[in-house]
Amino acid sequence: MSLLEQLIDALRVLPGVGQKSAQRMAYHVLGRGREGGARLATALAEAVEKIGHCARCRDFSETPVCPTCASASRDAQTLCAVETPADRLAIEQATGYRGFYFVLQGRLSPLDGIGPRELGLDLLAARLAEGEVRELIIATNPTVEGEATAHYLAQIARQHGVRPSRPAHGLPLGGELEFVDRGTLSHAFGSRSEVE
Amino acid sequence: MSLLEQLIDALRVLPGVGQKSAQRMAYHVLGRGREGGARLATALAEAVEKIGHCARCRDFSETPVCPTCASASRDAQTLCAVETPADRLAIEQATGYRGFYFVLQGRLSPLDGIGPRELGLDLLAARLAEGEVRELIIATNPTVEGEATAHYLAQIARQHGVRPSRPAHGLPLGGELEFVDRGTLSHAFGSRSEVE
């Protein structure tokens, strides 16, 4: 296999990249992006080698404990459990949340062999047992598996005397009623609140 | 900048990859594709370092002369000029063409500073002057700039007593008349051929 073919093949490891996109990417890098390509090669090699998981929150981290978990200025009484590092980043960027996080790196999915152990729930239980956390915000996705995971996490929280909570569900801001899916609309109607 | 941020930033060199996709790619590689990520890093570094241009056809090549140009079993009387390596690959894969190629690596575009020199047209002229080539198939894209380039290439061919030709334009196979663009339909009508 030629180097070009090897490159096209290797690019397909990226999500959403098929044969055709991989070809276009390879030609682009060789044609006008060699400097960027070399930088990407270095960044990839370093990231794969040096980025591990934070011992406290399981998020990706270059250091044994990630900067967020090492921060002294965050509120230790709230812990927010999310499925993925991307979810954590979205919450961190969009909200003013100043507590700590716990990244499950997945959701309960027995059929795929993903159980409590794979999600590091023993680590979560140990964290809650420390006694500092008062509220566990369970921000798993509103999917069947996400809800099942949330249910399980809520149980663990209650066992440790921690109050479990979930972000509100309802109509997205700026969305139009007409185009909202039926489940969301029905839920939003059921959870309506009085206008002050 | 953390290694993760560096990786996300570096991934944006790839065409069609914005901030959000780069983030998803980085998380995917770190989460479930570390082996593939390491392979991609190596493939990229090697490709960027070792792939140059073929001295005969200007296509990407690991060797001074690419395997196609070095082949003794191809027809030296036809040469096919294309804009990009991807065009060359498409023709090679779809047609039974067994002649040689010449890859312009672009098209005439004076506003972008791309003239005959940038397309290696001196190399093409020297190739035609060798006297072996009888026909130059000009497979540039049917865009304004591609047509201008084709016109220019045809002149060079005639100067060297080489017959210039272009692939046929018309209705795509399997296409429906109703959805074909007006220019193509009009051209196809003008170039209609008698049914035998």
Side-chain angles (χ1 to χ4, degrees):
Chain A
M1 205 155 61
S2 76
L3 287 178
L4 182 62
E5 284 164 343
Q6 282 176 35
L7 174 57
I8 291 173
D9 194 61
L11 279 164
R12 296 188 56 185
V13 75
L14 300 175
V17 176
Q19 177 67 21
K20 204 82 186 181
S21 322
Q23 223 175 68
R24 210 176 74 240
M25 287 175 169
Y27 283 137
H28 175 90
V29 166
L30 291 172
R32 284 163 297 161
R34 292 206 181 217
E35 209 174 304
R39 211 176 68 232
L40 176 54
T42 313
L44 257 175
E46 287 211 10
V48 165
E49 193 195 320
K50 297 186 188 160
I51 296 182
H53 292 274
C54 169
R56 292 283 285 171
C57 74
R58 303 183 87 232
D59 194 3
F60 295 125
S61 172
E62 297 170 42
T63 45
V65 171
C66 75
T68 305
C69 286
S71 165
S73 68
R74 300 190 76 113
D75 170 19
Q77 302 200 337
T78 51
L79 186 64
C80 175
V82 294
E83 292 184 16
T84 66
D87 294 339
R88 192 207 80 100
L89 190 65
I91 292 175
E92 184 71 10
Q93 288 176 343
T95 73
Y97 179 66
R98 295 295 298 163
F100 289 105
Y101 294 94
F102 189 85
V103 182
L104 301 167
Q105 300 279 5
R107 67 212 83 171
L108 288 179
S109 178
L111 289 179
D112 301 319
I114 300 179
R117 183 200 303 268
E118 283 69 28
L119 302 186
L121 297 193
D122 44 346
L123 194 66
L124 177 64
R127 175 77 167 269
L128 298 183
E130 289 172 10
E132 228 178 351
V133 177
R134 296 281 177 84
E135 178 184 0
L136 177 67
I137 303 175
I138 306 173
T140 53
N141 287 318
T143 59
V144 174
E145 290 171 336
E147 293 293 337
T149 308
H151 186 75
Y152 197 91
L153 291 183
Q155 282 185 323
I156 296 181
R158 285 196 205 94
Q159 281 165 15
H160 293 85
V162 171
R163 189 161 44 89
S165 67
R166 298 220 64 193
H169 289 168
L171 303 176
L173 297 188
E176 297 194 40
L177 270 188
E178 185 183 349
F179 300 113
V180 167
D181 69 286
R182 288 172 57 174
T184 302
L185 188 53
S186 153
H187 182 96
F189 248 67
S191 324
R192 66 189 174 279
S193 60
E194 203 168 330
V195 178
E196 315 271 330
Chain B
M1 208 157 55
S2 74
L3 287 178
L4 182 62
E5 284 164 344
Q6 282 176 36
L7 174 58
I8 292 173
D9 193 63
L11 278 164
R12 297 189 55 184
V13 73
L14 300 174
V17 176
Q19 177 67 18
K20 203 82 186 178
S21 321
Q23 221 175 70
R24 211 176 73 240
M25 287 175 170
Y27 283 135
H28 175 90
V29 166
L30 290 172
R32 284 164 297 162
R34 294 210 178 213
E35 209 172 306
R39 212 175 69 234
L40 175 55
T42 314
L44 257 175
E46 287 212 9
V48 165
E49 192 195 322
K50 296 185 186 161
I51 297 182
H53 292 274
C54 169
R56 291 285 284 171
C57 72
R58 302 184 86 231
D59 194 3
F60 294 125
S61 171
E62 297 168 44
T63 45
V65 171
C66 75
T68 306
C69 285
S71 165
S73 68
R74 300 191 74 114
D75 172 19
Q77 301 198 339
T78 51
L79 187 65
C80 176
V82 293
E83 291 183 18
T84 66
D87 294 339
R88 193 208 81 99
L89 190 66
I91 292 174
E92 185 71 8
Q93 288 176 344
T95 72
Y97 179 67
R98 295 294 297 162
F100 288 105
Y101 293 95
F102 189 85
V103 182
L104 301 168
Q105 300 278 7
R107 69 211 81 172
L108 288 180
S109 177
L111 289 180
D112 302 318
I114 300 178
R117 181 200 304 266
E118 281 69 29
L119 302 185
L121 297 193
D122 45 346
L123 194 67
L124 177 64
R127 176 78 167 269
L128 298 182
E130 288 172 8
E132 230 179 348
V133 177
R134 296 282 178 83
E135 179 184 359
L136 177 68
I137 304 175
I138 305 172
T140 53
N141 288 319
T143 57
V144 174
E145 290 172 337
E147 293 293 337
T149 309
H151 186 76
Y152 197 91
L153 292 182
Q155 282 184 322
I156 298 180
R158 286 195 204 93
Q159 280 164 16
H160 294 86
V162 171
R163 188 161 45 89
S165 67
R166 298 220 64 192
H169 289 168
L171 302 176
L173 297 188
E176 297 195 39
L177 269 188
E178 186 183 348
F179 300 113
V180 167
D181 69 286
R182 288 172 61 174
T184 303
L185 189 53
S186 153
H187 182 98
F189 247 67
S191 324
R192 66 189 175 277
S193 60
E194 205 168 329
V195 177
E196 313 273 329

